[in-house]
């Protein structure tokens, strides 16, 4: 470093601001050991600092205009912080760091920041998408699906209160409005509107006020928006949710609130939240965000999602029931000869009425439990635990139901196995809880921070590790970037803390104390360390806490209740009581639990199974989420909180700098500066951009090199803007934007003509390709509408033709198992055709005549499919009846009247099945019919055999009767009472032999 000049602008380290702007007033020496006299811009304070604590401010006049800080000549954490500060002061809350968007939470609305979204980003070329804005990210993701046939993900992270939920909401809103615009203003309400309507509902039930955030998401969600490639519109969507903080329902930290929906409900009922115990646990009832009609907005969201009115009523009743039961407290009572019991007090009739259970049954569920079928009273503490456990389970299951209703409205069909590859392409938006560190941290904070560690590891892997390996394999001269690797923290959590917790919960006498002791034995003192406090500094936590060194800082976790929370045991008595509720919703929420309970714990143990604990289940779902995200092309948004008070226009530089450091954003800039974020295979590169040069290129490395040279010359690109590797072509972001812009201009001239040609060709593949290009180029007009409509018709024809072809394979002598395969394949074709018809119905460019035709054909094909299904079922019933008849005849041990009765019933069953089979079109040559025919033969033989036995028995009885009559004439005691009785019995028995005939 050279000497410093008086009057030179600089940045100096500062405890409160992180880095502060100043002017050099004097200096002595050079380099990092120089002593500088400075005057701060803020207050004019004079001070002295070493040169090592000062940086030159070389970009002073351009900082606030710089959208991408990777373009700064001398980027450091000081200039990055100052650039963000200046832009924040000018309401420019979005900036870019080499493609990673940094969003500063303004804690207020900024005028015109989100106006004309489609005009600014959707209608322009790819160069506009380099701007740091949520709309640009959302537009880029949709184009990625349409253009590259690759699923995209928008990963939003940051600590609690940094604005993650709002950022995701903004991007979702853009995708929904973009889709609605593409479908046309006349399009009926559909999944686009449902996407927007779902937000208020999910926020009401799963967001709450914390000490750091007035609208904190207390769960994680991953929204997958499935995009139709040919129109760029939303086809369907689904919401996956993770780890709802249900403990909040019954337990709050100081200064926090319960879930928003409870306060909305109370305000709408004109009641006082102060009077409700569950709403006062954190001694904070009324934050500024409450509005009188909030609950009505939540109800409007449900109705917009087509939730039935009776279900809405049951949901409201369930919420009221939770609040009413929450008022219950329990008094100790003495029970002669037993431990102290309890009785429930202070519960109104609303509790039983709203939950649909009798008051006595509800009280019994809390004050007693069953052990080996014997009633055992609960102490008052045990009764409170049972109450809280049941309320947590009830609220968690209610939220699961809410998410299921949302997914139903979003047309979630992602789980259908017959979805095509293009139909599974999606834009995923992740909104997950931010890193948390409070005065007291429990299992919830551990799992939340574990999730953040996993996401940070994915970020590191994508930005640093995977990129470095790829550059090495492709011989691209990009040096690796040093970064803070958190793989050790993730391993310590998964293989250490969480594994030991799961093992402790498996023990019958597992406890928090034993868990901490095991952690102490495996702690490494680096990532995982035991808590070593003193009486002055929290000595009471020794043996009850441990410390994890996370990527965002050290956090002390108090283990009180860890084991119980992780087991998450559901009180059996309470579950059984609610399963019998007269409230249909409440009963349905607990129906599965009771069914499992009835199977018995011993049966589960015999199968060596136990209920999965919370941490293990969450870990599995988190790994599944990671796998899903890794299969997509990600874009990252890092949300930053400018101050801890949630105050607008307030900047705490030290707090911001801390967040930037643990996010590793400076290393990201360095990696992105050196790297190439866009890459194509040779073939894909030549196919996409080959038309920009009037020459033919072979689909190999030589062809790629020739095209790169031609593009660099015609577009005046820098020498290293595009490089050719061993298997791929690599582009810097700005070079790709220039080439894409040139491609857009070239293709726009010919796109409409190619559309018209493809329409005349009636080739669905060629037409789809032409429509995809036109959609990618954001073209509009009647030609494109006609092409899309024609694509729908051709697709529909293709799927219905496939249906008919599959059904042609049906032969009279086919077994039902083969028919079931045909049915399955035909169903796939019909589902594909139905999806095309559904998409056409909601599109503004659809032809009414086509829609009517689709409906008629679908009705006809569904009738054929139903007929095949009925034939399969009837054939199965016929085969089953035939086998049962043969089994009955083989194993029949009865004789006489009983045997004939069994055979008559078997004959009736076989005839019924045969008649149903004939009506369903099962031919006589079908294997099932042949089995039934064989069964009829066996049945006839059985009838003959038992009929012959009956005749022989009758002859024996007649002979015996004749013999008795002869004895009567000869014997002296012929008229004795015993003889009369015996003769009468024989006569009655003989008369009882039924006349019968063999089966036809």
């Amino acid at each position: 470093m050279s000497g410093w000049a008086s009057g030179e602008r600089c940045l100096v380290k500062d405890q409160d601001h992180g880095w502060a702007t100043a002017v050099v007033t004097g200096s002595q020496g050079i380099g990092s050991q120089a002593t500088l006299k400075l005057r701060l811009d803020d207050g004019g304070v004079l001070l002295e600092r070493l040169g090592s604590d000062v940086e030159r401010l070389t970009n002073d006049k351009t900082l606030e205009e710089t959208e991408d800080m990777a373009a700064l000549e001398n980027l450091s954490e000081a200039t990055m912080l100052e650039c963000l500060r200046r832009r924040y002061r000018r309401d420019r809350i979005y900036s870019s760091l080499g493609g990673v968007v940094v969003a500063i939470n303004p804690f207020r609305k900024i005028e015109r920041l989100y106006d004309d979204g489609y005009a600014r980003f959707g209608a322009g070329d790819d160069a506009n998408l380099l701007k740091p804005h949520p709309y640009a990210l959302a537009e880029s993701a949709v184009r990625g699906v349409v253009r590259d046939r690759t699923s995209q993900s928008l990963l939003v992270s940051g600590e609690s209160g940094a604005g993650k939920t709002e950022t995701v909401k903004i991007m979702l809103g853009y995708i929904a409005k973009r889709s609605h615009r593409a479908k046309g203003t006349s399009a009926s309400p559909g999944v686009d509107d449902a996407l927007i309507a779902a937000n208020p509902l999910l926020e009401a039930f799963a967001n709450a006020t914390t000490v750091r955030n007035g609208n904190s998401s207390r769960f994680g969600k991953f929204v997958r928006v499935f995009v139709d490639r040919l129109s760029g519109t939303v086809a369907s969507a689904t919401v996956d949710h993770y780890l709802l903080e249900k403990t909040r329902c019954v337990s709050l930290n100081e200064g926090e609130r319960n879930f928003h929906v409870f306060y909305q409900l109370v305000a709408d009922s004109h009641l006082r939240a102060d009077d409700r115990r569950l709403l006062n646990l954190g001694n904070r009832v009324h934050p500024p965000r409450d509005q009188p009609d909030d609950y009505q907005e939540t109800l409007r969201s449900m109705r917009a999602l087509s939730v039935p009115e009776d279900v809405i009523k049951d949901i409201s009743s369930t919420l009221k029931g939770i609040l009413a039961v929450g008022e219950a407290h329990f008094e100790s009572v003495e029970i002669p000869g037993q431990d102290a019991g309890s009785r429930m007090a202070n519960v109104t009739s609303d509790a039983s009425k709203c939950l649909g259970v009798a008051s006595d049954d509800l009280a019994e569920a809390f004050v007693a439990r069953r052990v080996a079928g014997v009633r055992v009273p609960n102490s008052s503490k045990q009764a409170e635990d049972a109450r809280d456990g049941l309320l947590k389970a009830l609220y968690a299951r209610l939220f699961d139901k809410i998410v299921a209703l949302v997914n139903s409205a979003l047309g979630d069909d992602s789980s259908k196995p017959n979805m095509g590859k293009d139909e599974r392409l999606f834009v995923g938006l992740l909104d997950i809880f931010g890193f948390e560190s409070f005065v007291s941290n429990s299992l919830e904070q551990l799992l939340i921070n574990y999730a953040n560690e996993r996401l940070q590891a994915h970020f590191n892997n994508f930005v640093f590790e995977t990129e470095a390996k790829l550059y090495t394999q492709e011989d691209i001269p990009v040096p690796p970037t040093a970064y803070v690797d958190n793989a050790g923290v993730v391993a310590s959590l998964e293989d250490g803390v969480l594994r030991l917790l799961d093992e402790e919960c498996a023990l019958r006498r597992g406890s928090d104390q034993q868990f901490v002791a095991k952690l102490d034995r495996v702690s490494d003192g680096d990532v995982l360390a035991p808590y070593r406090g003193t009486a002055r500094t929290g000595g009471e936590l020794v043996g009850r806490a441990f410390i994890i060194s996370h990527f965002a800082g050290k956090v002390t976790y108090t283990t009180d209740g860890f084991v119980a929370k992780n087991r998450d045991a559901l009180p059996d008595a309470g579950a059984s009581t609610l399963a019998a509720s007269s409230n249909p919703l409440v009963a349905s929420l607990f129906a599965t639990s009771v069914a499992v309970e009835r199977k018995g714990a011993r049966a589960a143990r015999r199968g060596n199974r136990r209920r999965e604990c919370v941490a293990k289940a969450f870990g599995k779902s988190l790994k599944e989420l990671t796998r899903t995200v890794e299969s997509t092309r990600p874009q990252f948004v890092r949300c930053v909180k400018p101050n801890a008070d949630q105050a607008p226009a307030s900047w705490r530089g030290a707090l911001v700098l801390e967040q930037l450091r643990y996010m590793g954003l400076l290393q990201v800039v360095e990696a992105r500066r050196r790297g190439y974020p866009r890459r194509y295979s040779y073939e894909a590169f030549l196919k996409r951009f080959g038309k920009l040069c009037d020459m033919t290129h072979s689909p190999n490395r030589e062809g790629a090199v020739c095209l790169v040279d031609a593009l660099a010359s015609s577009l005046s690109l820098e020498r290293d803007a595009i490089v050719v590797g061993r298997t791929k072509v690599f582009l810097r972001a700005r070079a790709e934007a220039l080439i894409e812009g040139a491609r857009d201009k070239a293709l726009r001239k010919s796109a409409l003509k190619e559309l018209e040609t493809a329409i005349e060709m009636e080739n669905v593949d060629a037409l789809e390709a032409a429509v995809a290009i036109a959609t990618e180029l954001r073209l509009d007009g009647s030609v494109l509408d006609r092409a899309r409509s024609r694509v729908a018709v051709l697709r529909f024809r293709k799927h219905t033709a496939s249906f008919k072809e599959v059904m042609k394979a049906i032969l009279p002598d086919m077994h039902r198992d083969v028919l079931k395969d045909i049915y399955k394949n035909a169903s796939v074709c019909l589902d594909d055709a139905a999806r095309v018809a559904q998409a056409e119905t909601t599109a503004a460019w659809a032809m009414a005549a086509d829609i009517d035709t689709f409906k008629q054909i679908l009705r006809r094909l569904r009738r054929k499919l139903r007929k095949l299904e009925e034939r399969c079922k009837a054939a199965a019933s016929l085969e089953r009846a035939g086998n049962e008849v043969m089994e009955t005849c083989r194993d029949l041990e009865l004789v006489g009247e009983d045997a004939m009765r069994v055979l008559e019933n078997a004959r009736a069953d076989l005839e019924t099945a045969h008649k149903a089979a004939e009506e369903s079109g099962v031919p006589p040559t079908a294997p099932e019919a042949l089995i039934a025919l064989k069964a009829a033969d066996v049945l006839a033989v059985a009838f003959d055999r038992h009929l012959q036995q009956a005749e022989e028995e009758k002859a024996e009885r007649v002979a015996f009767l004749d013999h008795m009559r002869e004895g009567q004439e000869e014997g002296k005691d012929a008229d004795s009472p015993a003889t009369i009785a015996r003769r009468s019995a024989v006569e009655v028995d003989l008369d009882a032999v039924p006349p019968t005939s063999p089966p036809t």
Side-chain angles (χ1 to χ4, degrees):
M1 182 183 287
S2 59
W4 291 85
S6 182
E8 192 172 358
R9 301 278 297 160
C10 65
L11 293 164
V12 59
K13 284 184 179 179
D14 183 88
Q15 185 174 357
D16 294 328
H17 301 289
W19 290 85
T21 54
V23 176
V24 177
T25 60
S27 65
Q28 183 178 356
I30 61 174
S32 61
Q33 298 303 312
T35 300
L36 304 178
K37 293 183 179 180
L38 309 169
R39 184 180 68 249
L40 295 178
D41 290 348
D42 185 10
V45 177
L46 299 175
L47 67 160
E48 285 190 1
R49 288 286 188 275
L50 288 175
S52 58
D53 293 334
V54 182
E55 286 194 15
R56 282 186 169 85
L57 188 53
T58 56
N59 309 97
D60 191 23
K61 296 182 179 180
T62 60
L63 280 179
E64 64 189 41
E65 302 297 331
T66 303
E67 292 183 331
D68 188 353
M69 286 176 278
L72 293 174
E73 295 177 6
N74 183 27
L75 181 65
S76 63
E77 72 169 30
T79 53
M80 177 169 58
L81 182 65
E82 180 62 15
C83 179
L84 292 173
R85 185 187 71 83
R86 293 191 185 188
R87 290 178 62 77
Y88 178 74
R89 295 294 187 194
R90 295 284 300 273
D91 285 344
R92 297 172 178 175
I93 61 173
Y94 299 115
S95 304
S96 178
L97 280 166
V100 176
V101 172
V102 179
I104 312 292
N105 192 343
F107 294 114
R108 65 183 179 87
K109 291 184 178 180
I110 298 177
E111 296 294 329
R112 299 192 300 180
L113 183 60
Y114 307 106
D115 291 349
D116 304 322
Y118 188 81
R120 290 164 60 193
F121 301 103
D125 57 27
D126 281 12
N128 287 342
L129 305 187
L130 297 177
K131 295 181 178 295
H133 196 286
Y135 286 175
L137 291 173
E139 177 66 31
S140 175
V142 174
R143 289 190 192 181
V145 171
V146 171
R147 182 177 68 196
D148 304 326
R149 297 192 180 190
T150 303
S151 291
Q152 313 283 313
S153 57
L154 301 171
L155 307 180
V156 184
S157 59
E159 70 174 56
S160 181
K164 300 182 298 300
T165 298
E166 289 300 315
T167 302
V168 170
K169 193 190 306 182
I170 290 166
M171 291 190 290
L172 265 178
Y174 175 85
I175 293 173
K177 290 175 182 176
R178 180 192 190 281
S179 175
H180 196 72
R181 180 188 181 280
K183 291 177 181 177
T185 53
S186 61
S188 57
V191 67
D192 316 323
D193 305 274
L195 267 178
I196 297 175
N199 266 320
L201 180 60
L202 293 176
E203 284 190 14
F205 277 84
N207 285 30
T209 296
T210 67
V211 292
R212 295 186 175 185
N213 187 356
N215 187 33
S216 176
S217 295
R218 308 316 300 163
F219 77 126
K221 70 174 181 287
F222 185 59
V223 183
R224 284 178 290 167
V225 182
F226 295 89
V227 177
D228 176 32
R229 280 193 61 248
L230 296 185
S231 62
T233 58
V234 177
S236 63
T238 183
V239 178
D240 298 321
H241 66 291
Y242 308 92
L243 199 68
L244 176 72
E245 190 189 22
K246 58 185 177 182
T247 302
R248 179 170 293 271
C249 186
V250 296
S251 175
L252 296 174
N253 291 330
E254 186 69 21
E256 300 201 344
R257 298 208 320 167
N258 215 311
F259 294 105
H260 293 327
V261 70
F262 290 119
Y263 302 90
Q264 295 176 1
L265 178 68
V266 168
D268 188 71
S269 303
H270 304 292
L271 301 174
R272 286 170 51 85
D274 311 65
D275 299 333
R276 296 289 182 170
R277 188 185 70 87
L278 293 183
L279 306 187
N280 282 276
L281 296 172
N283 295 320
R284 183 177 183 180
V285 178
H286 301 294
R289 76 180 302 279
D290 278 350
Q291 299 296 328
D293 62 343
D294 280 351
Y295 193 64
Q296 291 303 314
E297 181 182 1
T298 300
L299 296 180
R300 284 193 292 271
S301 294
M302 291 192 211
R303 294 185 178 108
L305 296 171
S306 302
V307 179
E309 287 296 326
D310 58 331
V311 175
I312 294 176
K313 181 180 177 182
D314 289 343
I315 290 172
S316 298
S317 180
T318 303
L319 291 172
K320 292 176 183 176
I322 291 173
L323 289 178
V325 173
E327 299 298 313
H329 70 267
F330 300 90
E331 301 171 348
S332 295
V333 295
E334 294 297 330
I335 302 177
Q338 298 187 47
D339 294 335
S342 59
R343 67 181 184 87
M344 187 170 71
N346 200 36
V347 175
T348 65
S349 59
D350 286 347
S352 58
K353 179 181 178 182
C354 293
L355 294 183
V357 296
S359 300
D360 292 343
D361 294 340
L362 188 62
E364 179 67 12
F366 298 143
V367 301
R369 63 190 186 279
R370 292 279 171 179
V371 177
V374 178
R375 183 184 185 277
V376 177
N378 285 335
S379 66
S380 57
K381 176 63 171 62
Q382 290 172 327
E384 289 175 357
D385 292 342
R387 174 202 63 196
D388 292 349
L390 189 63
L391 291 183
K392 288 190 296 182
L394 176 56
Y395 191 79
R397 294 172 187 222
L398 177 62
F399 182 67
D400 290 343
K401 178 67 175 180
I402 294 294
V403 175
L405 292 170
V406 168
N407 283 334
S408 176
L410 293 176
D412 173 23
D413 55 4
S414 60
S415 60
K416 288 187 177 180
N418 56 343
M419 288 183 71
K421 178 180 180 296
D422 284 354
E423 292 172 307
R424 292 181 183 274
L425 297 178
F426 63 86
V427 175
L429 298 97
L430 180 64
D431 175 19
I432 207 158
F433 9 64
F435 184 84
E436 292 187 348
S437 178
F438 301 122
V439 175
S440 176
N441 301 287
S442 188
L443 180 63
E444 293 81 10
Q445 281 67 49
L446 177 68
L447 297 181
I448 285 172
N449 293 340
Y450 165 49
N452 280 272
E453 291 284 359
R454 291 279 308 186
L455 292 176
Q456 181 68 15
H458 171 69
F459 178 79
N460 289 341
N461 182 65
F462 179 80
V463 175
F464 302 114
E465 296 177 20
T466 305
E467 297 289 284
K469 290 178 183 176
L470 180 62
Y471 294 144
T472 301
Q473 293 168 358
E474 294 283 338
D475 284 339
I476 305 297
V478 178
T481 304
Y483 66 97
V484 179
D485 188 0
N486 72 327
V489 182
V490 174
S492 182
L493 285 168
E494 292 180 347
D495 301 332
V497 178
L498 298 179
R499 179 181 62 82
L500 290 176
L501 178 59
D502 190 62
E503 291 176 1
E504 190 64 26
C505 291
L507 302 176
R508 179 177 296 181
R509 298 185 180 277
S511 67
D512 300 328
Q513 292 74 22
Q514 291 178 185
F515 170 58
V516 174
K518 291 176 181 177
L519 286 180
D520 287 351
R521 288 195 291 271
V522 300
S523 63
D524 54 13
D526 183 16
V527 175
L528 172 63
Y531 183 83
R532 299 284 186 255
T534 64
R536 183 177 297 177
T537 59
E540 71 278 359
L541 292 181
V542 173
R544 297 169 48 215
F546 62 94
I547 301 172
I548 296 287
S549 296
H550 291 284
F551 75 95
K554 291 185 177 181
V555 179
T556 299
Y557 296 98
T558 305
T559 60
D560 295 346
F562 256 49
V563 170
K565 287 181 179 180
N566 194 43
R567 284 175 174 159
D568 194 28
L570 174 64
D572 292 339
S576 299
T577 300
L578 293 187
S581 168
S582 60
N583 180 326
L585 175 64
V586 173
S588 67
L589 297 180
F590 287 88
T592 305
S593 297
V594 173
V596 171
E597 179 192 344
R598 285 172 180 164
K599 292 181 180 179
R602 291 183 180 177
R605 286 197 293 271
R606 280 197 301 270
N608 197 25
R609 298 186 304 272
R610 64 182 177 90
R611 187 173 176 272
E612 212 168 42
C613 292
V614 171
K616 189 170 185 178
F618 178 62
K620 283 185 177 179
S621 60
L622 195 58
K623 289 175 182 176
E624 179 62 32
L625 170 64
T626 304
R627 281 193 292 270
T628 301
V629 169
E630 287 173 349
S631 69
T632 68
R633 180 179 298 155
Q635 298 184 73
F636 299 94
V637 182
R638 299 301 222 183
C639 294
V640 176
K641 185 163 58 175
N643 62 80
D645 303 320
Q646 306 175 43
S650 174
W651 179 269
R652 289 294 306 275
L655 177 63
V656 173
L657 183 59
E658 180 185 12
Q659 295 171 72
L660 297 177
R661 281 174 176 167
Y662 73 65
M663 288 176 181
L665 290 182
L666 194 60
Q667 291 79 13
V668 171
V669 173
E670 188 63 28
R672 289 302 173 91
R673 266 181 167 177
R674 299 174 178 180
Y676 296 84
R678 199 73 168 96
R679 61 286 312 258
Y680 294 89
S681 67
Y682 296 152
E683 184 179 358
F685 181 75
L686 291 165
K687 182 178 180 181
R688 185 163 186 80
F689 302 114
K691 294 182 179 179
L692 294 178
C693 299
D694 295 330
M695 59 181 74
T696 303
H697 305 282
S698 55
N700 52 29
R701 192 177 192 280
E702 289 73 18
V705 170
C706 288
L707 180 57
V708 166
D709 291 341
L711 291 173
S713 175
S714 63
L715 298 175
S716 302
L717 299 175
E718 296 176 1
R719 184 176 181 180
D720 63 344
I722 311 177
V723 294
V724 181
R726 288 184 173 182
T727 63
K728 292 181 174 64
V729 180
F730 294 77
L731 298 86
R732 297 201 191 278
R734 293 196 176 279
E736 186 200 15
L738 287 172
I739 297 175
E740 286 289 351
R743 178 178 178 273
D744 276 10
K745 291 178 182 178
L747 290 180
R748 282 177 185 273
K749 297 178 182 178
S750 60
L752 292 178
K753 185 177 291 185
E754 290 183 2
L755 269 179
E756 292 175 341
T757 303
I759 291 173
E760 294 175 0
M761 290 172 57
E762 290 279 302
N763 183 299
V764 66
D765 295 328
L767 189 54
E768 281 187 356
V771 169
I773 291 174
T775 301
E776 180 189 334
L777 295 174
R778 283 84 62 200
L779 297 180
D780 287 317
S782 59
V783 176
L784 180 57
D785 289 347
R786 189 155 54 93
R788 284 172 172 163
S789 179
R790 202 62 197 157
V791 165
V793 171
L794 294 176
R795 274 180 169 180
F796 188 83
R797 285 181 183 173
K798 180 180 178 181
H799 296 317
T800 53
S802 298
F803 176 90
K804 293 174 183 176
E805 196 65 30
V806 169
M807 297 291 279
K808 280 182 182 178
I810 298 175
L811 297 174
D813 58 349
M814 276 185 173
H815 191 267
R816 76 169 189 284
D817 290 338
V818 182
L819 292 178
K820 284 170 68 176
D821 290 337
I822 293 176
Y823 174 83
K824 182 179 179 181
N825 294 332
S827 297
V828 171
C829 299
L830 193 57
D831 286 346
D832 290 339
R835 271 198 292 272
V836 172
Q838 178 62 30
E840 180 86 349
T841 302
T842 58
W845 37 263
M847 303 289 184
D850 290 341
I851 294 175
D852 291 340
T853 302
F854 290 169
K855 290 179 178 178
Q856 292 174 12
I857 293 175
L858 284 175
R859 280 197 295 268
R860 187 167 67 250
L861 297 186
R862 285 193 178 107
R863 283 197 296 269
K864 290 185 177 181
L865 197 62
R866 278 197 300 272
K867 191 172 181 180
L868 176 59
E869 183 181 22
E870 290 169 359
R871 173 176 167 178
C872 289
K873 290 180 178 178
S877 298
L878 184 60
E879 182 178 5
R880 185 169 55 252
N883 288 329
E884 288 176 353
V885 163
M886 288 189 284
E887 184 179 352
T888 298
C889 295
R890 182 179 66 248
D891 300 336
L892 186 61
E893 296 179 354
L894 300 174
V895 295
E897 181 183 0
D898 292 336
M900 300 305 291
R901 187 182 302 112
V902 170
L903 293 176
E904 286 287 357
N905 291 338
R907 177 171 60 182
D909 292 342
L910 185 61
E911 289 176 346
T912 301
H914 185 264
K915 183 178 180 181
E918 281 186 331
E919 293 173 351
S920 300
V922 178
T925 55
E928 296 83 6
L930 296 179
I931 290 175
L933 186 61
K934 181 180 178 181
D937 292 340
V938 172
L939 186 61
V941 171
F943 263 111
D944 289 342
R945 184 175 67 251
H946 285 280
L947 184 61
Q948 183 178 356
Q949 290 176 356
E951 292 293 340
E952 290 175 353
E953 290 177 2
K954 183 176 181 181
E956 289 177 359
R957 291 190 177 101
V958 169
F960 177 75
L961 192 60
D962 291 342
H963 179 71
M964 290 296 296
R965 285 173 180 163
E966 291 174 0
Q968 243 180 356
E969 295 174 358
E970 297 173 359
K972 296 180 181 179
D973 56 347
D975 294 327
S976 67
T979 303
I980 294 173
R982 185 176 179 185
R983 186 170 62 247
S984 299
V986 170
E987 290 174 348
V988 170
D989 193 30
L990 185 61
D991 293 338
V993 176
T996 184
S997 59
T1000 59

